[in-house]
Amino acid sequence: MRLRALLDTDALGLKLLGGEDELDRTVRGVMTTDLRDPSRYLSGGELVLSGLAWRRDAADSEPFVRILVRAGVAALAAGEAELGPVPEDLVAACARHRLPLFAVNESVAFATITEHVVRQVSGERAGDLAAVVERHRRMMTAGPAGGGPDVVLDLLGSDLDLRAWLLSPTGRLIAGPKVGGPALPADACARLAAEQLAAARTGRRGPHRVALGPTTYSLFPIRGGRSPQAARDARETVLSDWLLAVEADAGEWPEERLDLLQGVTQLIAVERDRRDAARTVRRRLAQEVLELVQSGAPPAEIAARLRVAAPVLLPGLGAAPHWQVIVARVEWDDGRSEGGPIAQSLLEEILVDPHSTGPEPSDRIAVAHTGDEAVALVPLPAVSAEHDGSETGMLADALLEAVRDPLSAGLDGDGRLTLGVSAAVHSAEGLRGALEEARHARRVAAARSGRVCAAGHQELASHVLLLPFVPDDVRRAFTARLLDPLRDYDRRHRAELIPTLEAFLDCDGSWTRCATRLHLHVNTLRYRVGRIEQLTGRDLSRLEDKLDFFLALRMS
């Protein structure tokens, strides 16, 4: 309620002594006090009722008023029942600090004013929220000029004292309050997103409440108006919903407030759909390039299509950029549904800078999907002209740094997300190779443990990374043929031939270094190596046999 409304109620017995220009302030509560410093009990917006027992002389008024102003109270109402008329020094202090001051008639109890204010504020809360919804609906129907989710978050804060943040499913901050306290830390955003994904997977009805330290947050999913084809599986919805995190315990709210907050989420969902629609052109460009590359189209045709894509993805760039390819795949444990659409949505989200905000921070991202796979075409405006390892671009580990925990919570027990990142390519001719390179890197990531894994093109340089793709039956036969005779001999004679073989290879076949490492005489080492060669029929002086033993030990 507004201060002005207090003067319109004769039963309250209030007389304005100063602050006529401030009567449009909002009253959010009421507090009665005679403490000299009541600041610890004030949160802002209160009508403070005082019998002035704290005042001993005129010098006390100035510090008391300063305390109230710093606490952000709406106004002070001084009672006349105990000390008579309100002292002039208090009137002057309130005037200096622009704090509205009322006199309370001696015939009116503070309890009467308190009851009236509490009843009015409680009754108007739901009305205020309805007004927020209606005001924002009008803004949204007027088009993008309405300001998007930032506007409704500001209204929630100014009209309802609700601090709220809009988060992506990976915990990226999309929008937040511009005023009203410190920003929500990145680790808190990630934790809230992880809690929402984990709770939504269980099918529990929201809003979900999460305590981070002393603060409780209520989490509301933001569901867009997707077509049934765009979200065939409930798991896809869980992994693609935005999240409204409100700093309040919604468990204490009446049904009316919960219903109206749901209305707020529906309004934000309109903006979500608009942003999704804005990605349509970029998705179509990526799809066209992907089809050309996979069909073996001439490089000139691919280059022409890339020239069309460059101005859309990097407006104002003079020359065509270099490109990088990233492949993502979502595989569900039950294998019942394709993961391509959700992989596309997640890859678009992952490729957004986690520290960026704004109306469309992903306007440089073009992602296509086919079957279970999503393919991103990422333009790089500045890349080294030589393939000397100095190319800039996306790095596999960095891509997942901010999103691993939330997505692991969302996929736990259901599926996996794996990514592969290619090196930068400098022409259309290199795009097909980059796609295959990204796919190979993704297979390397898939061979690792964990719900969310990535691998980059740098990791494809080692032959050791090919080992996970050796079929299990081939792996078992190969290692058994070379190592089982040694294991059997060690088991019977405690000869430690396997540890000796590992050390010998690790020392690059150096007799002296290996003997020193194993604390053996060189002759003893030569005897053991001879026994290894005798049992396996191999010659450890030959590179081919050393390599076979090395691979067998790695695959075992």
Side-chain angles (χ1 to χ4, degrees):
M1 66 179 300
R2 307 291 178 180
L3 287 175
R4 192 179 305 279
L6 296 173
L7 293 175
D8 296 336
T9 306
D10 294 337
L12 299 182
L14 294 176
K15 180 174 65 174
L16 183 66
L17 300 180
E20 185 174 359
D21 293 339
E22 306 293 331
L23 290 180
D24 285 327
R25 291 187 182 185
T26 300
V27 180
R28 305 187 190 281
V30 62
M31 177 190 177
T32 300
T33 183
D34 277 312
L35 295 174
R36 296 173 66 85
D37 182 1
S39 57
R40 73 184 69 180
Y41 304 110
L42 297 170
S43 58
E46 296 92 349
L47 171 66
V48 174
L49 305 176
S50 178
L52 307 185
W54 49 267
R55 182 182 179 279
R56 296 185 178 88
D57 55 45
D60 291 336
S61 293
E62 177 70 21
F64 182 77
V65 171
R66 280 204 304 266
I67 288 171
L68 298 187
V69 170
R70 281 199 299 268
V73 304
L76 170 64
E80 298 179 327
E82 293 290 334
L83 303 179
V86 178
E88 287 299 325
D89 50 89
L90 181 58
V91 175
C94 289
R96 281 193 296 274
H97 293 280
R98 301 180 64 85
L99 179 67
L101 175 63
F102 297 93
V104 182
N105 190 280
E106 61 181 357
S107 64
V108 178
F110 282 176
T112 301
I113 299 174
T114 299
E115 181 181 356
H116 176 82
V117 171
V118 169
R119 186 170 57 250
Q120 291 297 316
V121 170
S122 299
E124 289 180 1
R125 286 285 175 162
D128 286 345
L129 184 53
V132 170
V133 174
E134 181 56 32
R135 286 163 64 184
H136 194 63
R137 180 177 289 112
R138 289 198 299 269
M139 292 177 184
M140 297 296 288
T141 54
D150 300 270
V151 173
V152 74
L153 296 186
D154 289 343
L155 291 176
L156 286 174
S158 62
D159 287 19
L160 295 174
D161 267 347
L162 288 176
R163 297 181 68 221
W165 297 264
L166 185 60
L167 308 178
S168 76
T170 64
R172 177 176 59 88
L173 182 64
I174 298 171
K178 294 182 175 61
V179 295
L184 195 63
D187 58 344
C189 291
R191 172 76 182 280
L192 291 175
E195 293 284 350
Q196 168 65 17
L197 288 173
R201 282 182 53 253
T202 66
R204 297 205 316 267
R205 184 180 178 184
H208 305 112
R209 288 172 288 163
V210 177
L212 298 185
T215 306
T216 298
Y217 298 88
S218 297
L219 311 180
F220 298 81
I222 306 293
R223 296 191 171 96
R226 307 174 190 86
S227 65
Q229 291 76 19
R232 294 180 297 273
D233 195 302
R235 295 170 299 191
E236 296 182 16
T237 301
V238 169
L239 287 167
S240 58
D241 285 342
W242 281 1
L243 165 66
L244 181 66
V246 181
E247 189 181 80
D249 187 348
E252 302 174 353
W253 290 358
E255 286 297 323
E256 293 80 2
R257 170 166 284 206
L258 286 172
D259 290 342
L260 289 169
L261 241 296
Q262 294 295 346
V264 170
T265 66
Q266 292 170 11
L267 290 175
I268 297 177
V270 174
E271 178 66 17
R272 167 71 188 273
D273 290 342
R274 281 181 175 167
R275 296 193 186 189
D276 285 345
R279 292 181 175 178
T280 301
V281 173
R282 296 189 294 278
R283 285 178 171 179
R284 185 166 61 247
L285 286 172
Q287 198 74 38
E288 291 173 354
V289 173
L290 176 61
E291 291 172 358
L292 289 173
V293 171
Q294 293 190 133
S295 65
E301 185 177 355
I302 299 175
R305 182 55 56 189
L306 290 177
R307 284 194 293 272
V308 172
V312 175
L313 300 178
L314 287 176
L317 190 66
H322 305 295
W323 303 92
Q324 194 172 15
V325 175
I326 301 176
V327 171
R329 191 180 182 97
V330 171
E331 296 172 298
W332 302 113
D333 290 353
D334 57 19
R336 288 188 307 192
S337 59
E338 290 185 351
I342 189 59
Q344 181 184 44
S345 177
L346 288 178
L347 188 52
E348 287 172 335
E349 174 58 36
I350 289 169
L351 292 176
V352 175
D353 181 352
H355 305 295
S356 69
T357 57
E360 187 49 77
S362 59
D363 58 1
R364 291 180 50 198
I365 299 163
V367 184
H369 81 81
T370 173
D372 286 331
E373 183 182 73
V375 179
L377 191 66
V378 181
L380 303 175
V383 181
S384 170
E386 301 294 333
H387 292 284
D388 57 2
S390 64
E391 290 98 338
T392 59
M394 301 285 185
L395 299 177
D397 289 339
L399 282 176
L400 296 184
E401 182 178 356
V403 304
R404 190 186 304 275
D405 289 344
L407 290 184
S408 294
L411 289 163
D412 187 31
D414 276 334
R416 300 186 70 215
L417 170 68
T418 51
L419 278 77
V421 182
S422 80
V425 295
H426 303 252
S427 65
E429 289 85 347
L431 207 56
R432 183 176 181 84
L435 177 60
E436 291 306 314
E437 187 175 55
R439 283 172 170 163
H440 282 304
R442 193 209 62 78
R443 294 188 192 101
V444 170
R448 297 171 176 167
S449 60
R451 290 288 172 182
V452 180
C453 299
H457 61 92
Q458 305 92 335
E459 301 177 66
L460 298 180
S462 173
H463 67 276
V464 177
L465 291 172
L466 299 178
L467 299 183
F469 307 109
V470 176
D472 288 342
D473 54 345
V474 175
R475 181 197 306 265
R476 285 191 295 268
F478 183 75
T479 57
R481 189 178 303 118
L482 281 175
L483 302 182
D484 280 1
L486 305 182
R487 291 176 178 140
D488 292 342
Y489 191 87
D490 282 346
R491 191 164 45 249
R492 293 195 308 269
H493 302 284
R494 298 182 181 178
E496 297 188 349
L497 295 184
I498 292 290
T500 299
L501 176 61
E502 290 175 332
F504 186 73
L505 294 174
D506 196 41
C507 293
D508 299 323
S510 170
W511 298 97
T512 303
R513 284 193 290 125
C514 184
T516 301
R517 175 181 294 189
L518 296 176
H519 305 289
L520 296 174
H521 192 278
V522 172
N523 288 340
T524 303
L525 176 61
R526 290 184 184 278
Y527 171 81
R528 288 187 181 180
V529 170
R531 180 62 66 184
I532 291 171
E533 293 174 335
Q534 180 184 12
L535 291 170
T536 60
R538 299 299 183 104
D539 182 355
L540 278 170
S541 66
R542 297 177 66 247
L543 177 60
E544 293 87 347
D545 288 343
K546 285 180 182 177
L547 180 58
D548 283 347
F549 277 122
F550 173 79
L551 293 174
L553 288 169
R554 288 301 179 92
M555 286 193 291
S556 65

